[in-house]
C-alpha cells in the first residue's frame, strides 16, 4: 500500500499557464511578459533560443480568445488538432463535421461559462484528466500491476468540499501553486520543501526515436506495412515524420513532432495488443454512444439511460 499526494494539484492549484496567457492577452504591451516565461519554466531555458521561441508561440493570445470558455485548455487542444493531419483519409472523413467542444459544452455545468478563469480550468482538468488518466492510467493501473494499492487522502470528500469553496487567490498566489496547502504545511515540513518550485517529470520521448535508440519494436510498428494493416494513419506522412525525427540532432526536434510520433506509436501498440490480438477478437464490442457523457438519449428505439457514463 502506498500513500500518494494525487490529486492535490487538481484541488489545490489551478494552472499557471492559463493565468500567464490571460495576462498576455490583457496586457499586450507589458515588458514583464517575457520574464514570466523564465519564472514558469526555468528548466526549459538550457537552450534559451529554442525554449523562448517555443514558449512565446505557445503563449501567444489575441484579446478575443479571452472570451473563450475553454480558454485555459484551448491552446493544448489546438496542438492536438494538428495531429489529425497524420490520420488516414478514411479516418479523417469519419471526423469531418464533428466538434468535440460542442459535445463537451453540452455536459458541463450550466454555470460553467460564468465562473472565473481558474475555476473553469479546474473543472476541465478534473472532468477530462483526473479519473481516466491521472488516477487510472498513471495511478491505479501502474500500481496494481505491481501489487501496490494506492491511498489518496486528497480525495476525501471533506477535503474536496473545502477545496472547492476556496477563492482563487487562495489556490494560487501570483504564480505560486498550492498556496493554501503550503501554508497548512508550515511547521510540519522543512522550509526548502514547502517553498520549492514545481518541476514536472518528463518522459525522454525524443531518445526513443533516435537512430541510436535500441528500440527495434519502434521501427517495426512504424513501418509502412504495420501502418497500412491497422489503417489509422497515413503511412507516407508518418514515414516522413519518423525519418526527420530520427535523423535530427538530439534536442533539435520540436515538441509537436515528438508527441505526434508518440501518439502514432501508442495507437499502434494498443491496436496490436488488443484489437489485432486473437484473444480479444471474440469479445463483445461496445457501441460508442453508450459510453458518452450527456443526458438520456434514444438509441435504436432503446433508452440508453442518463447521467454520466463511467470512465
Amino acid at each position: 500500500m502506498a500513500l500518494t499526494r494525487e490529486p492535490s494539484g487538481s484541488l489545490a492549484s489551478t494552472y499557471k499557464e492559463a493565468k500567464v496567457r490571460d495576462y498576455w492577452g490583457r496586457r499586450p504591451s507589458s515588458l514583464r511578459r517575457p520574464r514570466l516565461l523564465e519564472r514558469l519554466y526555468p528548466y526549459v531555458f538550457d537552450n534559451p533560443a529554442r525554449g523562448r521561441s517555443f514558449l512565446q508561440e505557445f503563449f501567444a493570445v489575441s484579446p478575443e480568445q479571452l472570451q473563450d470558455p475553454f480558454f485555459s485548455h484551448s491552446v493544448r487542444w489546438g496542438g492536438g488538432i494538428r495531429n489529425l493531419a497524420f490520420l488516414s483519409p478514411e479516418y479523417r472523413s469519419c471526423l469531418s463535421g464533428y466538434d468535440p467542444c460542442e459535445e463537451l459544452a453540452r455536459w458541463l455545468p450550466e454555470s460553467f461559462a460564468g465562473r472565473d478563469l481558474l475555476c473553469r480550468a479546474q473543472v476541465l482538468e478534473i472532468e477530462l484528466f483526473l479519473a481516466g488518466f491521472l488516477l487510472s492510467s498513471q495511478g491505479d493501473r501502474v500500481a496494481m500491476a505491481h501489487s501496490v494499492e494506492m491511498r489518496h487522502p486528497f480525495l476525501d470528500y471533506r477535503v474536496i468540499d473545502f477545496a472547492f469553496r476556496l477563492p482563487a487567490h487562495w489556490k494560487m498566489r501570483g504564480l505560486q501553486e498550492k498556496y493554501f496547502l503550503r501554508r497548512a504545511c508550515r511547521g510540519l515540513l522543512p522550509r526548502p520543501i514547502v517553498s520549492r518550485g514545481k518541476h514536472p517529470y518528463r518522459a525522454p520521448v525524443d531518445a526513443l526515436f533516435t537512430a541510436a535508440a535500441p528500440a527495434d519494436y519502434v521501427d517495426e510498428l512504424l513501418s509502412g506495412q504495420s501502418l497500412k494493416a491497422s489503417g489509422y494513419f497515413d503511412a507516407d506522412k508518418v514515414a516522413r515524420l519518423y525519418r526527420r525525427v530520427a535523423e535530427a540532432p538530439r534536442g533539435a526536434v520540436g515538441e509537436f513532432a515528438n508527441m505526434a510520433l508518440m501518439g502514432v506509436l501508442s495507437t499502434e501498440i494498443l491496436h496490436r495488443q488488443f484489437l489485432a490480438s486473437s484473444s480479444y477478437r471474440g469479445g463483445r464490442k461496445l457501441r460508442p454512444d453508450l459510453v458518452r457523457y450527456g443526458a438520456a438519449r434514444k438509441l435504436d428505439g432503446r433508452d440508453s439511460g442518463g447521467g454520466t457514463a463511467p470512465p
Side-chain angles (χ1 to χ4, degrees):
M1 186 177 295
L3 194 69
T4 173
R5 66 165 185 81
E6 301 293 359
S8 63
S10 297
L11 302 177
S13 65
T14 35
Y15 314 109
K16 294 183 289 187
E17 290 88 350
K19 192 169 184 179
V20 170
R21 291 186 70 239
D22 181 72
Y23 180 88
W24 277 46
R26 297 184 187 281
R27 305 193 180 185
S29 61
S30 172
L31 299 178
R32 299 171 60 185
R33 299 197 330 168
R35 297 290 301 276
L36 292 175
L37 298 180
E38 296 181 20
R39 288 189 58 190
L40 268 180
Y41 306 112
Y43 51 87
V44 170
F45 288 87
D46 295 336
N47 182 341
R50 177 172 175 268
R52 192 180 302 274
S53 174
F54 168 75
L55 290 173
Q56 287 180 342
E57 179 183 356
F58 179 83
F59 282 95
V61 58
S62 58
E64 59 271 14
Q65 290 177 295
L66 296 173
Q67 308 307 317
D68 182 356
F70 303 137
F71 173 79
S72 61
H73 286 61
S74 60
V75 64
R76 296 186 181 276
W77 296 346
I81 289 174
R82 295 170 62 185
N83 292 334
L84 297 181
F86 294 102
L87 291 176
S88 65
E90 294 79 10
Y91 275 84
R92 286 203 305 274
S93 66
C94 291
L95 295 173
S96 63
Y98 172 68
D99 185 353
C101 290
E102 290 183 2
E103 182 174 347
L104 174 61
R106 287 197 294 268
W107 54 262
L108 285 172
E110 292 183 2
S111 61
F112 175 80
R115 300 182 184 184
D116 63 70
L117 170 67
L118 298 186
C119 186
R120 293 199 306 268
Q122 189 174 34
V123 169
L124 290 174
E125 196 76 357
I126 290 173
E127 290 286 354
L128 301 175
F129 179 77
L130 180 60
F133 182 71
L134 188 62
L135 296 180
S136 180
S137 296
Q138 289 193 347
D140 285 344
R141 293 181 187 176
V142 177
M144 295 303 289
H146 296 83
S147 301
V148 176
E149 188 170 346
M150 308 299 289
R151 286 291 182 263
H152 304 85
F154 287 102
L155 284 180
D156 186 284
Y157 72 93
R158 290 157 293 195
V159 175
I160 293 174
D161 182 69
F162 172 71
F164 283 177
R165 294 172 187 272
L166 290 173
H169 67 269
W170 272 94
K171 298 174 184 177
M172 180 180 294
R173 180 65 62 90
L175 293 179
Q176 185 183 56
E177 295 179 305
K178 305 179 186 176
Y179 178 70
F180 77 84
L181 187 59
R182 296 174 189 271
R183 287 289 300 269
C185 290
R186 285 182 180 179
L188 300 176
L189 295 172
R191 179 178 290 273
I193 294 179
V194 173
S195 60
R196 71 184 176 185
K198 181 179 179 179
H199 194 299
Y201 63 89
R202 294 181 62 83
V205 175
D206 56 345
L208 185 64
F209 303 119
T210 61
D216 52 351
Y217 70 92
V218 175
D219 286 337
E220 199 272 324
L221 287 172
L222 296 182
S223 67
Q225 181 179 2
S226 177
L227 293 171
K228 290 176 182 178
S230 62
Y232 302 117
F233 301 101
D234 186 312
D236 292 335
K237 288 184 178 179
V238 173
R240 289 194 296 270
L241 176 66
Y242 186 27
R243 186 164 53 250
R244 179 166 65 87
V245 171
E247 295 174 355
R250 182 75 180 272
V253 177
E255 188 82 359
F256 166 71
N258 277 323
M259 296 312 296
L261 210 51
M262 181 58 74
V264 174
L265 181 63
S266 300
T267 303
E268 290 297 306
I269 291 175
L270 290 172
H271 174 81
R272 185 74 62 88
Q273 189 165 358
F274 294 100
L275 298 180
S277 172
S278 58
S279 60
Y280 288 91
R281 288 175 184 168
R284 183 176 64 88
K285 294 183 179 180
L286 294 177
R287 295 189 54 179
D289 285 340
L290 296 180
V291 295
R292 282 187 176 182
Y293 286 96
R297 54 176 62 87
K298 295 287 185 179
L299 295 174
D300 297 336
R302 295 177 291 109
D303 189 348
S304 70
T308 301

